[in-house]
Amino acid sequence: MVDLLGNIDTGSMAIINERFFDTDAGFRISAQKALKRLPVRADIFLLNTDYFEQPAPDVDPMLVHEICHGLDQLNLAPPGQITDLDRHNAQVIFEAYDPEAWSAGHNGRWGQYLAWSGRRSVELGRTASISEFIKLSIPAYDRPNWQDGAIREK
């Protein structure tokens, strides 16, 4: 990982890289609470540089995935109403996830935010289907129990 803003000292970057060296993306409010050796207060947003070359429609869902972590960590409500459809799809997301990834903040509320975002993406014409949005937002290795057709579109 590299510090794009240049405001994290090299020792702190080394601590961050020990934990996140193989990460596609991540978002952590008050990262010093999770990284006990981190000597500075920091909110961290990570995106693997591999994504820099991909088209925005393929990357945007991953960015939204990480923003949903921020909403969850700050205990903020989504900007719109969570529906029964969103709750159903959040449960599908949760069940598809690798249990080892649950400790990284992939919980029920985060899933509702992500499901809501997928529905809104379709409503705004940015994504063809909620399922497509969800699949783009979660790397395949993190969703080994994915069931095609389980995400409801309506």
Side-chain angles (χ1 to χ4, degrees), residues 3-15:
D3 176 14
L4 295 177
L5 301 178
N7 59 353
I8 300 178
D9 64 86
T10 55
S12 295
M13 276 309 299
I15 292 168

Side-chain angles (χ1 to χ4, degrees), residues 87-103:
R87 282 186 277 281
H88 166 82
N89 287 341
Q91 186 63 36
V92 171
I93 292 166
F94 188 72
E95 290 171 2
Y97 245 90
D98 181 344
E100 290 184 18
W102 292 342
S103 64

Side-chain angles (χ1 to χ4, degrees), residues 7 23 27 30 32 44 48 55 58 74 80 97 100 111 131 137 144 148:
N7 59 353
T23 301
F27 191 10
S30 300
Q32 72 280 359
I44 298 175
N48 192 305
D58 292 348
L74 292 170
Y97 245 90
E100 290 184 18
S131 181
S137 73
D148 282 328

Side-chain angles (χ1 to χ4, degrees), residues 70-77 109 113:
L71 289 172
D72 180 45
Q73 292 165 24
L74 292 170
N75 199 26
L76 297 175
R109 185 171 57 184
Y113 295 154

Side-chain angles (χ1 to χ4, degrees), residues 118-133:
R119 178 174 54 81
R120 289 294 295 146
S121 181
V122 171
E123 290 170 355
L124 295 170
R126 295 189 177 130
T127 311
S129 70
I130 298 170
S131 181
E132 175 189 338
F133 178 91

Side-chain angles (χ1 to χ4, degrees), residues 20-86:
F20 297 108
F21 70 94
D22 65 349
T23 301
D24 277 331
F27 191 10
R28 181 68 180 186
I29 302 296
S30 300
Q32 72 280 359
K33 292 178 182 176
L35 302 171
K36 302 294 185 198
R37 295 180 16 236
L38 193 62
V40 296
R41 294 183 57 193
D43 299 333
I44 298 175
F45 176 82
L46 306 167
L47 183 65
N48 192 305
T49 55
D50 292 345
Y51 286 94
F52 291 7
E53 301 299 321
Q54 294 184 18
D58 292 348
V59 176
D60 290 351
M62 177 65 78
L63 298 176
V64 170
H65 168 137
E66 298 307 334
I67 291 167
C68 290
H69 282 301
L71 289 172
D72 180 45
Q73 292 165 24
L74 292 170
N75 199 26
L76 297 175
Q81 182 69 36
I82 298 289
T83 66
D84 288 339
L85 176 67
D86 301 329

